[in-house]
Amino acid sequence: MKALRTHEVGGPETLTLDEIDVPTPGKGQVLVDVKACSINFPDTLMIRDMYQFKPERPYAPGGDIAGVIEAVGEGVEGFAVGDKVLAGIGHGGLSEKVIVPADRMFPIPDGVAFDKAASILMTYGTNIHGLKDRGHIKEGDTALILGAAGGVGLSAVELCKAYGARVVAAVSSEEKGQAARDAGADEVVIYPKDEMDKAASKELASAFKAACGPEGANIVYDIVGGQYSEPALRSIAWEGKFLVVGFPAGIAKMPLNLTLLKSCDICGVFWGAFTMREPVKFRAQIAELFDLLKAGKIDPLISETFPLERGGDAIAKLANRQAVGKLVVTMD
């Protein structure tokens, strides 16, 4: 079988398409014939050894997969050969076949395509945990979402609207702004791509405040970090929640006096650790996401698909912050 693997620390250009043996599932495992693997921001970091998890090389990146069970190991219950499943596996997804622990799998509901299924777990999973468990979102809230046009951002827009919130989408271009509007955003703020001086930072803070309204944002959902975090924090409401989700623009240095002045909270959203610590709650949230999908309240936007041999191109596009919605590698 073929797998797109990393053998050395480096960018997507260092990945090689290898011919390797088909693995055999052990106790509690299944072998999945992969049909689709979505690309997520951790994939761009992991191959550079910049992520908190550093798998032993060689390995294939790709954490969210969907496919068909080809073989079942000892002790697996509730799944059979031929079942359509999706799974979050951390890495290994850019392979034609992959071993998956049975307790990390979910059945794909009827009528859901493989590429859509592969786009659910990390993006919507992160957001349902972040918005509900950490942000305590409620109907009538105003949510400011930074980086609102990527896979995580657009799914955050959809979920906020599903939960009855007003959404201010912050993006880096008008094209991305339109994607956020199409997903349901009520207001769009376009922030500069270039480095901001103090005056530009204040100007962005004013734009955020104007879009959020006089009461400010009850939730700031920060997927970007860097120079954009402080202006967003300045627009937060009294007792608001500032949710730290990611930092492709860098790790922000926040003026903590603002948290006192607004009596607000800065909260981390570490979805991967949550899924390990609270597996029952995690499964309930994924079930809720599929209910929302069936109700038409969420629908992953897949802007581009790539064959396995071009999986590195997908990772590069995401790393360069050029993606709108989800990028998916398909094995057909």
Side-chain angles (χ1 to χ4, degrees), residues 41 172 176 191 193 224 228 248-249 316-323:
F41 194 68
S172 62
K176 292 181 177 181
Y191 49 68
K193 295 180 181 179
V224 180
Y228 307 102
K317 189 166 188 175
L318 188 62
N320 293 330
R321 295 164 66 184
Q322 297 173 326

Side-chain angles (χ1 to χ4, degrees), residues 186-200:
D186 300 282
E187 300 280 348
V188 169
V189 175
I190 298 176
Y191 49 68
K193 295 180 181 179
D194 298 330
E195 186 173 350
M196 293 188 292
D197 58 17
K198 192 171 183 178

Side-chain angles (χ1 to χ4, degrees), residues 93-167:
L94 292 182
S95 306
E96 290 181 325
K97 303 178 192 298
V98 69
I99 295 293
V100 179
D103 62 2
R104 302 296 294 175
M105 292 194 312
F106 300 85
I108 297 177
D110 291 342
V112 178
F114 288 116
D115 55 354
K116 297 277 188 180
S119 301
I120 289 285
L121 278 181
M122 182 171 286
T123 49
Y124 290 89
T126 295
N127 292 334
I128 193 172
H129 165 58
L131 292 169
K132 294 187 73 174
D133 298 335
R134 307 297 287 154
H136 306 292
I137 192 170
K138 62 185 184 299
E139 189 170 357
D141 278 350
T142 293
L144 169 61
I145 302 172
L146 305 188
V152 178
L154 285 178
S155 59
V157 171
E158 287 185 321
L159 282 175
C160 284
K161 296 304 295 181
Y163 296 135
R166 176 175 172 266
V167 172

Side-chain angles (χ1 to χ4, degrees), residues 176-249:
K176 292 181 177 181
Q178 189 57 52
R181 291 186 189 95
D182 292 343
D186 300 282
E187 300 280 348
V188 169
V189 175
I190 298 176
Y191 49 68
K193 295 180 181 179
D194 298 330
E195 186 173 350
M196 293 188 292
D197 58 17
K198 192 171 183 178
S201 181
K202 285 186 175 181
E203 185 177 344
L204 181 59
S206 296
F208 285 156
K209 289 176 183 178
C212 291
E215 299 301 319
N218 306 101
I219 295 173
V220 174
Y221 204 69
D222 187 3
I223 306 167
V224 180
Q227 63 181 346
Y228 307 102
S229 297
E230 182 181 332
L233 181 61
R234 290 184 180 277
S235 70
I236 202 167
W238 177 257
E239 295 187 341
K241 303 285 187 183
F242 187 102
L243 304 183
V244 181
V245 186
F247 17 80

Side-chain angles (χ1 to χ4, degrees), residues 304-328:
E304 197 169 354
T305 60
F306 299 77
L308 180 59
E309 61 269 20
R310 291 189 55 224
D313 294 342
I315 293 176
K317 189 166 188 175
L318 188 62
N320 293 330
R321 295 164 66 184
Q322 297 173 326
V324 174
K326 292 292 293 181
L327 305 178
V328 178

Side-chain angles (χ1 to χ4, degrees), residues 36-111:
C37 175
S38 68
I39 303 301
N40 297 295
F41 194 68
D43 298 323
T44 72
L45 300 177
M46 199 176 292
I47 59 175
R48 292 182 168 93
D49 280 2
M50 295 173 61
Y51 197 57
Q52 47 261 56
F53 302 118
K54 296 178 175 63
E56 182 179 351
R57 286 182 168 87
Y59 68 87
D64 283 358
I65 61 105
V68 178
I69 295 178
E70 188 170 294
V72 176
E74 178 187 351
V76 173
E77 298 180 354
F79 292 100
V81 172
D83 285 353
K84 297 179 180 179
V85 294
L86 68 149
I89 55 177
H91 65 278
L94 292 182
S95 306
E96 290 181 325
K97 303 178 192 298
V98 69
I99 295 293
V100 179
D103 62 2
R104 302 296 294 175
M105 292 194 312
F106 300 85
I108 297 177
D110 291 342

